[in-house]
Amino acid sequence: MTARRLVAALLVLAGSAQAARSAEIWEGFEGGDLIFQETTGPEADALGRATGSRFTHVGIVRGTGGGPHVVQAAPHGVEEIPVDDFVARGVGGRYAVYRYEGLEEGDWYHPAVLGAYEYLAYPFDPFHRLDPSALYGAELVYLGFKAAGVELGGLRRIGDLDFDTPEGRALLLSNWSEHPDCKARRLDRDACWSLIRDQRIVTPAGLAEDPRLELVYSNFGSDAPGRERLD
């Protein structure tokens, strides 16, 4: 093996080792923890640009006899998956865990998890409306905590975030003619966009910025998103 190939091989091994370290699963999960990650795709691009955060997806942790699982609203609907599968979906295996200390876990579930679990198998909402008949990622967590009497993160008007970009328009207007509210009112594209801009939305970044949440773990390193940073 030439010196150049040896160096290249060592770099690949080093990169693989770093990826493996970054994807290690934290052992301190508790039921009700919020787990945030950076993802890829049109929704992630639009959310990242609109909120200025690398947090583009979030789920809520449920403790099980088989280890921690994550309840999430994914493109194919609300589901529960092992936490390591959730972590593997994120960019570089990076994730951050935030905790709300104001709720006690019951005999079965953390009350916010129970609230989110009510929506298991519900469809995904590509229109990002606050309508529990279909849900998007941050909305599921928001509704789970709201059912437990806690309103996390608050709602923001879409027009007040930076969604008026090519990425934002591509996401929110990709199927505008089928948007339930625009369709019901028989709006044209421009009028539909005005209606969408008035919609309220909850984002992963908005949840993470809630001062009542404590950052308890992150493997993002020194550039961790959020109010606090952990190395």
Side-chain angles (χ1 to χ4, degrees):
M1 179 180 290
T2 66
R4 180 177 294 179
R5 288 184 178 179
L6 177 60
V7 170
L10 289 173
L11 288 173
V12 169
L13 288 173
S16 298
Q18 177 61 39
R21 284 195 298 273
S22 67
E24 288 177 357
I25 304 303
W26 183 50
E27 296 183 355
F29 282 109
E30 294 183 5
D33 284 348
L34 275 62
I35 179 169
F36 296 83
Q37 63 183 184
E38 179 183 10
T39 51
T40 59
E43 181 175 1
D45 292 343
L47 274 174
R49 178 67 180 270
T51 63
S53 172
R54 292 167 66 189
F55 289 163
T56 56
H57 185 53
V58 59
I60 185 168
V61 174
R62 183 174 81 89
T64 77
H69 282 54
V70 179
V71 184
Q72 66 166 356
H76 45 274
V78 178
E79 63 179 4
E80 180 183 55
I81 60 174
V83 71
D84 51 348
D85 289 348
F86 181 91
V87 168
R89 180 177 182 262
V91 174
R94 291 185 290 273
Y95 61 101
V97 183
Y98 285 72
R99 182 171 296 159
Y100 181 87
E101 295 285 8
L103 293 171
E104 294 184 4
E105 189 160 1
D107 293 337
W108 284 85
Y109 299 145
H110 184 282
V113 177
L114 184 61
Y117 217 66
E118 291 292 322
Y119 298 102
L120 199 65
Y122 273 51
F124 181 75
D125 179 12
F127 302 107
H128 297 80
R129 299 165 66 238
L130 284 174
D131 181 343
S133 63
L135 299 98
Y136 56 91
E139 182 188 16
L140 174 67
V141 172
Y142 174 82
L143 291 177
F145 272 85
K146 188 174 182 180
V150 177
E151 187 168 345
L152 283 182
L155 303 175
R156 297 285 304 277
R157 180 177 169 272
I158 285 178
D160 293 334
L161 297 171
D162 194 13
F163 276 106
D164 198 0
T165 62
E167 298 89 349
R169 284 178 172 265
L171 173 69
L172 297 172
L173 287 173
S174 61
N175 196 22
W176 69 269
S177 62
E178 294 303 313
H179 188 293
D181 300 324
C182 297
K183 190 173 184 179
R185 301 182 190 185
R186 300 181 179 180
L187 301 180
D188 60 21
R189 188 177 187 274
D190 289 342
C192 184
W193 178 236
S194 294
L195 180 148
I196 290 171
R197 284 172 53 83
D198 277 334
Q199 284 183 197
R200 269 38 180 189
I201 191 173
V202 58
T203 66
L207 292 171
E209 289 167 2
D210 192 301
R212 294 167 294 177
L213 292 178
E214 177 188 2
L215 176 61
V216 294
Y217 176 81
S218 172
N219 64 1
F220 275 88
S222 60
D223 60 344
R227 294 173 285 101
E228 304 175 61
R229 295 182 179 181
L230 296 180
D231 292 326

